[in-house]
PDB file of all heavy atoms in Angstrom:
ATOM      1  N   ILE A  22     -17.373-144.865  -5.251  1.00  0.00           N
ATOM      2  CA  ILE A  22     -15.976-144.522  -5.690  1.00  0.00           C
ATOM      3  C   ILE A  22     -14.995-145.599  -5.243  1.00  0.00           C
ATOM      4  O   ILE A  22     -14.130-146.083  -6.000  1.00  0.00           O
ATOM      5  CB  ILE A  22     -15.579-143.139  -5.216  1.00  0.00           C
ATOM      6  CG1 ILE A  22     -16.498-142.039  -5.707  1.00  0.00           C
ATOM      7  CG2 ILE A  22     -14.111-142.788  -5.555  1.00  0.00           C
ATOM      8  CD1 ILE A  22     -16.362-140.720  -5.081  1.00  0.00           C
ATOM      9  N   ALA A  23     -15.127-145.979  -3.974  1.00  0.00           N
ATOM     10  CA  ALA A  23     -14.203-146.929  -3.362  1.00  0.00           C
ATOM     11  C   ALA A  23     -14.305-148.305  -3.973  1.00  0.00           C
ATOM     12  O   ALA A  23     -13.360-149.105  -3.948  1.00  0.00           O
ATOM     13  CB  ALA A  23     -14.456-147.043  -1.801  1.00  0.00           C
ATOM     14  N   ARG A  24     -15.458-148.617  -4.520  1.00  0.00           N
ATOM     15  CA  ARG A  24     -15.670-149.925  -5.260  1.00  0.00           C
ATOM     16  C   ARG A  24     -15.145-149.970  -6.688  1.00  0.00           C
ATOM     17  O   ARG A  24     -15.210-150.996  -7.292  1.00  0.00           O
ATOM     18  CB  ARG A  24     -17.154-150.261  -5.202  1.00  0.00           C
ATOM     19  CG  ARG A  24     -17.421-151.305  -4.232  1.00  0.00           C
ATOM     20  CD  ARG A  24     -18.777-151.984  -4.373  1.00  0.00           C
ATOM     21  NE  ARG A  24     -19.023-152.767  -3.179  1.00  0.00           N
ATOM     22  CZ  ARG A  24     -18.472-154.039  -3.026  1.00  0.00           C
ATOM     23  NH1 ARG A  24     -17.735-154.553  -3.989  1.00  0.00           N
ATOM     24  NH2 ARG A  24     -18.692-154.632  -1.920  1.00  0.00           N
ATOM     25  N   GLY A  25     -14.886-148.717  -7.215  1.00  0.00           N
ATOM     26  CA  GLY A  25     -14.336-148.713  -8.587  1.00  0.00           C
ATOM     27  C   GLY A  25     -15.439-148.334  -9.646  1.00  0.00           C
ATOM     28  O   GLY A  25     -15.205-148.426 -10.811  1.00  0.00           O
ATOM     29  N   ALA A  26     -16.659-147.927  -9.135  1.00  0.00           N
ATOM     30  CA  ALA A  26     -17.771-147.612 -10.118  1.00  0.00           C
ATOM     31  C   ALA A  26     -17.331-146.342 -10.894  1.00  0.00           C
ATOM     32  O   ALA A  26     -17.868-146.132 -11.966  1.00  0.00           O
ATOM     33  CB  ALA A  26     -19.054-147.438  -9.413  1.00  0.00           C
ATOM     34  N   MET A  27     -16.501-145.471 -10.318  1.00  0.00           N
ATOM     35  CA  MET A  27     -16.242-144.241 -10.997  1.00  0.00           C
ATOM     36  C   MET A  27     -14.985-144.290 -11.926  1.00  0.00           C
ATOM     37  O   MET A  27     -15.035-143.790 -12.985  1.00  0.00           O
ATOM     38  CB  MET A  27     -15.985-143.165  -9.907  1.00  0.00           C
ATOM     39  CG  MET A  27     -15.610-141.773 -10.521  1.00  0.00           C
ATOM     40  SD  MET A  27     -15.526-140.497  -9.178  1.00  0.00           S
ATOM     41  CE  MET A  27     -17.207-140.128  -8.949  1.00  0.00           C
ATOM     42  N   LEU A  28     -13.958-144.926 -11.443  1.00  0.00           N
ATOM     43  CA  LEU A  28     -12.687-144.887 -12.178  1.00  0.00           C
ATOM     44  C   LEU A  28     -12.240-146.287 -12.674  1.00  0.00           C
ATOM     45  O   LEU A  28     -11.148-146.450 -13.176  1.00  0.00           O
ATOM     46  CB  LEU A  28     -11.613-144.312 -11.353  1.00  0.00           C
ATOM     47  CG  LEU A  28     -11.809-142.789 -11.023  1.00  0.00           C
ATOM     48  CD1 LEU A  28     -10.815-142.286  -9.953  1.00  0.00           C
ATOM     49  CD2 LEU A  28     -11.825-141.884 -12.268  1.00  0.00           C
ATOM     50  N   GLY A  29     -13.133-147.253 -12.489  1.00  0.00           N
ATOM     51  CA  GLY A  29     -12.872-148.562 -13.032  1.00  0.00           C
ATOM     52  C   GLY A  29     -12.292-149.543 -11.998  1.00  0.00           C
ATOM     53  O   GLY A  29     -11.849-149.144 -10.917  1.00  0.00           O
ATOM     54  N   PRO A  30     -12.436-150.857 -12.288  1.00  0.00           N
ATOM     55  CA  PRO A  30     -12.130-151.877 -11.257  1.00  0.00           C
ATOM     56  C   PRO A  30     -10.672-152.072 -10.943  1.00  0.00           C
ATOM     57  O   PRO A  30     -10.310-152.877 -10.045  1.00  0.00           O
ATOM     58  CB  PRO A  30     -12.719-153.111 -11.902  1.00  0.00           C
ATOM     59  CG  PRO A  30     -12.753-152.894 -13.386  1.00  0.00           C
ATOM     60  CD  PRO A  30     -12.890-151.391 -13.495  1.00  0.00           C
ATOM     61  N   ASN A  31      -9.728-151.369 -11.710  1.00  0.00           N
ATOM     62  CA  ASN A  31      -8.283-151.582 -11.475  1.00  0.00           C
ATOM     63  C   ASN A  31      -7.632-150.316 -10.959  1.00  0.00           C
ATOM     64  O   ASN A  31      -6.348-150.267 -10.923  1.00  0.00           O
ATOM     65  CB  ASN A  31      -7.624-152.032 -12.798  1.00  0.00           C
ATOM     66  CG  ASN A  31      -8.214-153.361 -13.249  1.00  0.00           C
ATOM     67  OD1 ASN A  31      -8.407-154.215 -12.476  1.00  0.00           O
ATOM     68  ND2 ASN A  31      -8.514-153.416 -14.507  1.00  0.00           N
ATOM     69  N   GLN A  32      -8.421-149.242 -10.678  1.00  0.00           N
ATOM     70  CA  GLN A  32      -7.783-147.943 -10.298  1.00  0.00           C
ATOM     71  C   GLN A  32      -7.889-147.712  -8.814  1.00  0.00           C
ATOM     72  O   GLN A  32      -8.933-147.473  -8.314  1.00  0.00           O
ATOM     73  CB  GLN A  32      -8.465-146.819 -11.093  1.00  0.00           C
ATOM     74  CG  GLN A  32      -7.988-145.471 -10.780  1.00  0.00           C
ATOM     75  CD  GLN A  32      -6.501-145.271 -11.012  1.00  0.00           C
ATOM     76  OE1 GLN A  32      -6.059-145.356 -12.149  1.00  0.00           O
ATOM     77  NE2 GLN A  32      -5.742-145.030  -9.927  1.00  0.00           N
ATOM     78  N   PRO A  33      -6.751-147.824  -8.123  1.00  0.00           N
ATOM     79  CA  PRO A  33      -6.799-147.497  -6.698  1.00  0.00           C
ATOM     80  C   PRO A  33      -7.168-146.003  -6.469  1.00  0.00           C
ATOM     81  O   PRO A  33      -6.835-145.178  -7.273  1.00  0.00           O
ATOM     82  CB  PRO A  33      -5.336-147.777  -6.213  1.00  0.00           C
ATOM     83  CG  PRO A  33      -4.727-148.556  -7.293  1.00  0.00           C
ATOM     84  CD  PRO A  33      -5.441-148.172  -8.592  1.00  0.00           C
ATOM     85  N   VAL A  34      -7.782-145.743  -5.336  1.00  0.00           N
ATOM     86  CA  VAL A  34      -8.178-144.384  -5.038  1.00  0.00           C
ATOM     87  C   VAL A  34      -7.786-144.031  -3.611  1.00  0.00           C
ATOM     88  O   VAL A  34      -7.790-144.883  -2.714  1.00  0.00           O
ATOM     89  CB  VAL A  34      -9.716-144.172  -5.223  1.00  0.00           C
ATOM     90  CG1 VAL A  34     -10.101-144.188  -6.719  1.00  0.00           C
ATOM     91  CG2 VAL A  34     -10.560-145.184  -4.430  1.00  0.00           C
ATOM     92  N   ILE A  35      -7.648-142.712  -3.280  1.00  0.00           N
ATOM     93  CA  ILE A  35      -7.553-142.227  -1.946  1.00  0.00           C
ATOM     94  C   ILE A  35      -8.700-141.172  -1.871  1.00  0.00           C
ATOM     95  O   ILE A  35      -8.806-140.259  -2.695  1.00  0.00           O
ATOM     96  CB  ILE A  35      -6.191-141.534  -1.661  1.00  0.00           C
ATOM     97  CG1 ILE A  35      -5.073-142.610  -1.801  1.00  0.00           C
ATOM     98  CG2 ILE A  35      -6.184-140.886  -0.382  1.00  0.00           C
ATOM     99  CD1 ILE A  35      -3.630-142.050  -1.720  1.00  0.00           C
ATOM    100  N   LEU A  36      -9.514-141.413  -0.892  1.00  0.00           N
ATOM    101  CA  LEU A  36     -10.707-140.501  -0.785  1.00  0.00           C
ATOM    102  C   LEU A  36     -10.388-139.317   0.255  1.00  0.00           C
ATOM    103  O   LEU A  36      -9.859-139.527   1.297  1.00  0.00           O
ATOM    104  CB  LEU A  36     -11.915-141.235  -0.207  1.00  0.00           C
ATOM    105  CG  LEU A  36     -12.807-141.954  -1.189  1.00  0.00           C
ATOM    106  CD1 LEU A  36     -13.752-142.935  -0.488  1.00  0.00           C
ATOM    107  CD2 LEU A  36     -13.607-140.965  -2.061  1.00  0.00           C
ATOM    108  N   HIS A  37     -10.604-138.108  -0.241  1.00  0.00           N
ATOM    109  CA  HIS A  37     -10.597-136.919   0.598  1.00  0.00           C
ATOM    110  C   HIS A  37     -12.028-136.469   0.895  1.00  0.00           C
ATOM    111  O   HIS A  37     -12.694-136.168  -0.067  1.00  0.00           O
ATOM    112  CB  HIS A  37      -9.859-135.792  -0.050  1.00  0.00           C
ATOM    113  CG  HIS A  37      -8.412-135.939  -0.276  1.00  0.00           C
ATOM    114  ND1 HIS A  37      -7.479-134.995  -0.133  1.00  0.00           N
ATOM    115  CD2 HIS A  37      -7.671-137.077  -0.559  1.00  0.00           C
ATOM    116  CE1 HIS A  37      -6.185-135.443  -0.315  1.00  0.00           C
ATOM    117  NE2 HIS A  37      -6.374-136.729  -0.607  1.00  0.00           N
ATOM    118  N   MET A  38     -12.474-136.462   2.156  1.00  0.00           N
ATOM    119  CA  MET A  38     -13.824-136.116   2.443  1.00  0.00           C
ATOM    120  C   MET A  38     -13.820-134.859   3.321  1.00  0.00           C
ATOM    121  O   MET A  38     -13.157-134.796   4.324  1.00  0.00           O
ATOM    122  CB  MET A  38     -14.474-137.279   3.208  1.00  0.00           C
ATOM    123  CG  MET A  38     -14.450-138.600   2.443  1.00  0.00           C
ATOM    124  SD  MET A  38     -15.610-139.778   3.210  1.00  0.00           S
ATOM    125  CE  MET A  38     -14.956-139.953   4.836  1.00  0.00           C
ATOM    126  N   LEU A  39     -14.577-133.880   2.830  1.00  0.00           N
ATOM    127  CA  LEU A  39     -14.719-132.602   3.526  1.00  0.00           C
ATOM    128  C   LEU A  39     -16.121-132.359   4.018  1.00  0.00           C
ATOM    129  O   LEU A  39     -17.070-132.625   3.289  1.00  0.00           O
ATOM    130  CB  LEU A  39     -14.350-131.405   2.597  1.00  0.00           C
ATOM    131  CG  LEU A  39     -14.510-130.094   3.153  1.00  0.00           C
ATOM    132  CD1 LEU A  39     -13.442-129.727   4.265  1.00  0.00           C
ATOM    133  CD2 LEU A  39     -14.408-128.900   2.053  1.00  0.00           C
TER     134      LEU A  39
END
Side-chain angles (χ1 to χ4, degrees):
I22 300 171
R24 257 196 188 280
M27 178 176 280
L28 295 171
N31 300 315
Q32 177 58 61
V34 289
I35 297 173
L36 273 168
H37 288 220
M38 304 194 298
L39 175 71

